[in-house]
Amino acid sequence: MAPLKSAAQRFAYSALVLLSIALMVIGRADGSLIEHIRTKTSDVLAPVLEAVTQPVTAVTDAVAHVRALTELYRENERLKTENAALMQWQQVARRLDNENSGLRALMNYQPEGSVWFITGRVIGTSGGAFSRNLLINRGTLDSVAKGQAVSAGSGLVGRVTEVGDRAARVLMITDLNSRIPVQIDGNHDRAILAGDNTDRPQLAYVGPHTKINVGDRIVTSGDGGVFPPGMPVGTVASVDGGNIRVEPFADLSRVEYLRVVDFGLAGVLPPDAVPQPKAPRRAKGDAGKGEAGPTP
Amino acid sequence: MKAKPVEPVDGIGQKLVPDAFTLVLAILSVIPLGIPGYAQVTPNFVLMSIYYWTIYRPDHLPYLVVFLIGLLVDLLTFGPAGVTPFALLIVRATVLSQRKFFVGKNFPILWWGFAIVTAAVTLLIWCVGSLYSGRLLDPRSFAFQAVLTAAFYPVLSWAFSRVQRVMTR
């Protein structure tokens, strides 16, 4: 009995190792099958993950609450100063808004699609050094779709790359596979923000005559039609020859709640209407995991 | 014939304990804890579980379960599918072949063994991952994750041994 059992075990071992290798090869060659299984798994486990994260969120919220209480006075002072500054900006914004609408009327400008958003909670993180992504508790049932932008607080977090009924996967801008068309705020010089699994993504494909300084604001350029132009992304943190690093506005190391935003850009072309060969992957900010179907 | 009809159920229940433990750890390792940077360096709890149970209860954690849990980890963490089950299967086979050496040894030796396994697995996953994505992945977070994994082993090992004691009572 024993030798038979060990032979069976050896067979199981070899078969499963081969199966693992086969999975790697299949995943590399055609991501759509693995993506399908992944989406289904996330969907099934979403309620479990949601239930488990609930107490964790409660505890972190409570800690944040206590910390906020102790800093109430200083926070109040800071907010008063900030408010004073913002009031001035409000005046500027109102004036510009008026001017803008006046000019738009003059130009007979067609306004962009309506903005819709939904807030989701992070129920899973990448849990490893491989990739930078998040699982959120919103899916197609909440009208979340592939390609939608995801932001937290003051900046872009990433975009939806996989979506199931109840859960969606967000590829963060720091991920190895993330490529976002951006521009330097103010001078409109274009570049690509390329993640490499570090906290500060790299600014790549910068034009030869572009001058970039530490502290420059980086916003989306709107190229490729994935994100609308002007979404805040981050500031230039370091310029070291050709190695330009961007510090994201959003605190990507601990996001709890995210906003999935649909700018109506998908309304022009449905997600799968663009044939893949014609879709330049880099320019669309679409790479790696999005191989199954180009994002709008 | 009718003696102790409850025992088989108990046996199955006991058999499932290592599997269930490993599964729960796999799910727990993707839970966001709100600690900055934690997601990238989460200790590899599944590896700890597989190392421990392979030494103490290899019959209760078969290859198929190791494969399925490894695959689940890959699917949940968005890593390249197949890499984790591949690494974990090799870990189980290697530890199993060295099991006679480990059984009955005192804890520092087991811990040392785990540290070596962790280093080897991390190197393997890093190599396969780099090969898979076609570029060298940043080794720092992998190294840091390996250190954290080795450092956390005593805690989990203690928890497993408590569970095992209850199991065998």
Side-chain angles (χ1 to χ4, degrees), chain B residues 46-160:
Chain B
V46 173
L47 181 64
M48 301 179 202
S49 187
I50 284 172
Y51 178 80
Y52 184 93
W53 296 114
T54 305
I55 290 176
Y56 291 105
R57 280 297 153 100
D59 50 328
H60 288 9
L61 194 66
Y63 281 119
L64 183 65
V65 174
V66 171
F67 172 81
L68 289 176
I69 289 176
L71 188 61
L72 180 74
V73 169
D74 277 349
L75 293 176
L76 280 180
T77 61
F78 215 61
V83 175
T84 307
F86 179 71
L88 292 180
L89 286 169
I90 291 177
V91 166
R92 188 185 187 270
T94 314
V95 175
L96 199 61
S97 69
Q98 303 299 315
R99 201 180 151 245
K100 283 206 177 74
F101 169 78
F102 285 122
V103 168
K105 288 290 190 315
N106 53 11
F107 184 72
I109 292 178
L110 288 171
W111 194 7
W112 178 239
F114 181 72
I116 293 172
V117 166
T118 308
V121 164
T122 309
L123 193 65
L124 180 74
I125 291 183
W126 180 77
C127 287
V128 176
S130 295
L131 211 65
Y132 186 93
S133 50
R135 59 195 122 172
L136 287 183
L137 296 170
D138 183 10
R140 280 172 299 181
S141 42
F142 282 89
F144 199 59
Q145 187 179 26
V147 170
L148 269 189
T149 305
F152 265 87
Y153 182 68
V155 182
L156 268 280
S157 172
W158 177 82
F160 294 144

Side-chain angles (χ1 to χ4, degrees), chain A residues 204-262:
Chain A
Y205 301 102
V206 182
H209 304 300
T210 308
K211 277 215 162 61
I212 294 177
N213 302 310
V214 172
D216 281 353
R217 255 172 68 93
I218 302 295
V219 299
T220 54
S221 67
D223 291 346
V226 177
F227 303 119
M231 266 189 100
V233 177
T235 52
V236 174
S238 69
V239 181
D240 176 20
N243 187 8
I244 304 158
R245 296 282 165 178
V246 174
E247 176 81 39
F249 284 127
D251 184 2
L252 299 179
S253 59
R254 47 170 167 191
V255 271
E256 260 180 77
Y257 295 95
L258 294 170
R259 203 159 52 227
V260 180
V261 197
D262 185 5

Side-chain angles (χ1 to χ4, degrees), chain A residues 9 13 16-17 19-21 23-24 27-28 34 37-38 41 45 49 52-53 56 60 122-133 161-162 169 171 176-177 179 197-198 253-254 289, chain B residues 27-37 39-40 42 63-64 67 71-72 74-83 85-86 89-90 93 125 128-129 132-133 135 137-138 141-142 145:
Chain A
Q9 279 225 341
Y13 171 64
L16 290 170
V17 166
L19 188 57
S20 305
I21 296 170
L23 273 173
M24 287 185 238
R28 191 80 184 88
I34 304 285
I37 302 173
R38 217 190 278 277
T41 315
L45 282 177
L49 289 171
V52 183
T53 41
V56 177
T60 46
V122 176
I123 55 169
T125 55
S126 52
F130 262 119
S131 57
R132 302 270 173 134
N133 63 84
T161 47
E162 283 178 14
R169 181 72 64 172
L171 189 76
L176 200 61
N177 290 311
R179 300 283 181 278
N197 284 3
T198 61
S253 59
R254 47 170 167 191
K289 304 294 176 198
Chain B
I27 292 173
L28 282 186
S29 52
V30 299
I31 294 299
L33 287 188
I35 303 167
Q40 273 66 51
T42 312
Y63 281 119
L64 183 65
F67 172 81
L71 188 61
L72 180 74
D74 277 349
L75 293 176
L76 280 180
T77 61
F78 215 61
V83 175
F86 179 71
L89 286 169
I90 291 177
I125 291 183
V128 176
Y132 186 93
S133 50
R135 59 195 122 172
L137 296 170
D138 183 10
S141 42
F142 282 89
Q145 187 179 26

